[in-house]
Amino acid sequence: MYVQELEPVAGSLGLSALVAALPLVIVLVLLGGLRMKAHLAGLTGLLGAVLVACLAYGMPWDQAASSAVQGAVFGLFPIMWIVVNALWVYRMTVRTRHFDILRRSFGRLSDDPRIQALVVAFCFGALLEALAGFGAPVAISAVMLVALGFDPVRAAIVALVANTAPVAFGAMGTPVVTLAQVTGLPLDSVASVVGRQTPLLALVVPLVLVWLVDGRRGLRDTWVPAVVCGVAFAVAQFVASNYVSAQLADIAAAMAGAGALVAVPHARVPASEAVRTSVLTGVRSEELDEEDPRGEVLRAYAPYALIVVIFSVAQIPVIKDWLAGATRKTDWPFLDVAAPNGDPVGANVFTWPIVSTGGTLVLFAGVATAVVLGVHARVAVKEWAATVYELRFAILTVTSVLALAYVMNLSGQAATIGYFVAAAGAGLAFLSPVLGWFGVAVTGSDTSANALFGALQVTAARESGLSPDLLAAANSSGGVLGKMISPQNLTIACAAVGLAGKEGDLLRKVLPWSLVLLLVMCLIVVGQSTAVLGWMLP
């Protein structure tokens, strides 16, 4: 049995924490300083974590390797299993051109560009984040806004800022699922706290978007639809994440936000010519004027309806228990780790939720989508394989980062850093979102930031007397605000609208919003750690 040690370097917690942080420093420097590709930085950091675990912490080589393999396996299933199947559903809608029908349907909801920004970037972007994540919402929303006549720079900025509130529950809840796994906290408790933080962002972001589109005039003219949209989104995200399913949180929020927006009379008032000519400085796509049969429009919406139905049915107690019956638990080979107090750690046993996991449910929805959209089985399989190929580097990045996180967690490195950071005391509540923000800004992924810093946050919380659920959730909620300034997302936005090489210009425009919203999140978490907002927590 390998027993974790908190102070293996010269019996000093400070020196041990410094050595334990080396793998994280390697990843962050390679990504942020040397601009190395994420998967290469992840693999290099993994090598560093294994060396620190074995040479400094005395972890046997076979156990360090086994830890890394378990992390990589978890990165593949259920994490990338969800992402691959979700993006596969989207690719089939593109293949059958039902995505174009959906885009035209959105374009006809309102001729006001400020309302269009809310529908496309905030609501539909949230739906894309729910299904795929990993840059897809920014790219697709930005392209759609350009097709509607938005200036490319403005379209990219709006798409980046909009991609905040839904990120923590993106890709069918992947970030919070990862957070729960690496921290050992129950998924329901983590998701419920995140669901009491990010909805507060949803109240603000729509107002920021109409300001970005049309300045003070936009805020004055369309604040009512923006507020209604934000409130509906926030309420739905809160209810779904706390009482239904973390995987459905963004889907429910996106649909509620869009439905409320369409229902508001202010949103259907035609925009003045002065507004349209001053805001829409680009060229409007002629494809938007094509008429689509009602049946085809319904089929375009069908994939998203199928996902909602399948996930909702899976939450029915009888069916949920039946699906859970397929879960398998097994002792993980070559792994026998005990915490510093001598108790075996949970990772010694690997849980394999074969059917009940979100990725398998999305796969069922994908099969149903292929039938509804008339996609031949051979074509559907080809699209699935193409999706895996498209995501090959993302798969390698996620598996390497999860492997790194598992080695750090199981060797005791994360615990050492956590105990050291706990010295910040009550200040941890303010710093926790900042750590998540920094992690996402560098890695471009809330999932990766949660894997890297989740266990550290929980250890620090327990040592400082704060709620582990609160600080773990703060890591994810703060992280969503780093998404808009991550080099990965900036590059995706620029490439989507034809602004290659202009990443620096975009960064300067979105960085102030990222920092302002981060400050808001830090104050929320501080309030929730005290009696001021402590009543908000479950």
Side-chain angles (χ1 to χ4, degrees):
M1 176 179 286
Y2 166 71
V3 180
Q4 296 173 348
E5 193 175 347
L6 295 176
E7 302 175 352
V9 181
S12 167
L13 184 62
L15 288 176
S16 299
L18 191 63
V19 172
L22 284 176
L24 296 178
V25 173
I26 289 171
V27 173
L28 299 180
V29 169
L30 292 179
L31 279 173
L34 302 181
R35 300 294 179 89
M36 180 180 283
K37 292 186 181 298
H39 62 281
L40 295 177
L43 290 171
T44 307
L46 170 60
L47 177 60
V50 171
L51 289 175
V52 170
C54 297
L55 300 180
Y57 278 75
M59 190 179 199
W61 290 95
D62 59 340
Q63 298 221 43
S66 183
S67 301
V69 171
Q70 184 179 151
V73 169
F74 180 72
L76 289 173
F77 189 99
I79 302 304
M80 292 310 297
W81 179 239
I82 298 171
V83 177
V84 166
N85 289 324
L87 198 56
W88 174 53
V89 173
Y90 163 71
R91 284 181 64 99
M92 285 193 290
T93 66
V94 173
R95 174 81 181 223
T96 59
R97 302 194 67 81
H98 282 89
F99 179 75
D100 293 332
I101 296 173
L102 193 66
R103 183 180 64 175
R104 288 192 286 271
S105 175
F106 289 160
R108 284 190 285 269
L109 290 176
S110 172
D111 71 344
D112 189 324
R114 298 160 301 189
I115 302 301
Q116 290 174 342
L118 293 177
V119 172
V120 173
F122 187 67
C123 297
F124 187 59
L127 188 60
L128 291 172
E129 181 67 39
L131 298 179
F134 292 87
V138 169
I140 296 167
S141 296
V143 168
M144 290 177 71
L145 290 174
V146 170
L148 289 167
F150 279 70
D151 171 74
V153 173
R154 183 176 289 169
I157 293 171
V158 169
L160 284 166
V161 174
N163 191 220
T164 48
V167 169
F169 295 105
M172 309 309 294
T174 296
V176 291
V177 169
T178 303
L179 186 61
Q181 181 71 18
V182 300
T183 60
L185 299 172
L187 173 59
D188 290 344
S189 65
V190 172
S192 66
V193 178
V194 175
R196 295 162 194 248
Q197 294 172 342
T198 56
L200 299 177
L201 289 177
L203 300 176
V204 179
V205 171
L207 294 170
V208 173
L209 295 180
V210 296
W211 173 277
L212 289 172
V213 172
D214 196 26
R216 190 173 298 173
R217 178 181 60 184
L219 198 58
R220 183 183 65 246
D221 293 350
T222 57
W223 69 269
V224 172
V227 168
V228 170
C229 177
V231 169
F233 187 103
V235 170
Q237 191 181 61
F238 162 74
V239 171
S241 60
N242 277 266
Y243 305 110
V244 183
S245 165
Q247 287 89 346
L248 282 177
D250 278 350
I251 294 178
M255 294 176 64
L261 190 59
V262 172
V264 176
H266 286 70
R268 298 193 297 274
V269 176
S272 66
E273 191 61 29
V275 170
R276 291 181 57 78
T277 55
S278 63
V279 174
L280 301 179
T281 55
V283 179
R284 185 175 183 274
S285 173
E286 295 181 358
E287 289 183 6
L288 296 174
D289 297 322
E290 294 182 17
E291 290 293 331
D292 298 302
R294 183 179 296 274
E296 290 303 300
V297 174
L298 291 175
R299 291 174 73 191
Y301 283 92
Y304 312 104
L306 285 169
I307 289 176
V308 172
V309 170
I310 288 175
F311 270 83
S312 298
V313 169
Q315 299 306 311
I316 297 173
V318 175
I319 296 178
K320 187 175 183 178
D321 292 342
W322 179 72
L323 293 174
T327 299
R328 296 290 179 266
K329 292 186 177 182
T330 180
D331 291 334
W332 189 258
F334 307 110
L335 196 64
D336 189 10
V337 179
N341 62 5
D343 294 336
V345 299
N348 291 333
V349 177
F350 187 74
T351 302
W352 187 276
I354 301 171
V355 182
S356 60
T357 188
T360 303
L361 297 178
V362 176
L363 178 66
F364 295 156
V367 173
T369 294
V371 174
V372 172
L373 299 186
V375 180
H376 191 277
R378 176 175 50 80
V379 175
V381 172
K382 183 178 178 181
E383 286 295 327
W384 193 90
T387 303
V388 173
Y389 181 78
E390 179 184 338
L391 291 172
R392 62 193 183 283
F393 292 120
I395 292 172
L396 187 54
T397 298
V398 170
T399 52
S400 63
V401 169
L402 264 297
L404 181 156
Y406 268 59
V407 171
M408 290 191 65
N409 294 344
L410 291 174
S411 65
Q413 294 173 60
T416 297
I417 300 172
Y419 275 81
F420 182 74
V421 172
L428 269 177
F430 187 88
L431 294 175
S432 286
V434 177
L435 188 60
W437 173 84
F438 180 71
V440 176
V442 173
T443 66
S445 165
D446 201 36
T447 299
S448 296
N450 285 344
L452 290 175
F453 300 132
L456 184 158
Q457 297 263 26
V458 168
T459 301
R462 285 174 174 151
E463 286 306 299
S464 61
L466 294 171
S467 164
D469 289 331
L470 175 61
L471 293 203
N475 192 84
S476 193
S477 298
V480 307
L481 300 168
K483 190 90 168 179
M484 68 178 84
I485 63 169
S486 70
Q488 173 184 310
N489 249 25
L490 290 169
T491 301
I492 289 171
C494 286
V497 298
L499 294 174
K502 300 290 185 180
E503 289 86 356
D505 295 338
L506 278 187
L507 176 61
R508 284 190 290 274
K509 292 180 181 295
V510 299
L511 179 59
W513 294 108
S514 178
L515 293 174
V516 168
L517 292 173
L518 174 63
L519 177 60
V520 171
M521 181 54 64
C522 289
L523 295 176
I524 290 171
V525 175
V526 169
Q528 290 178 334
S529 69
T530 66
V532 177
L533 296 179
W535 52 269
M536 293 180 62
L537 299 181

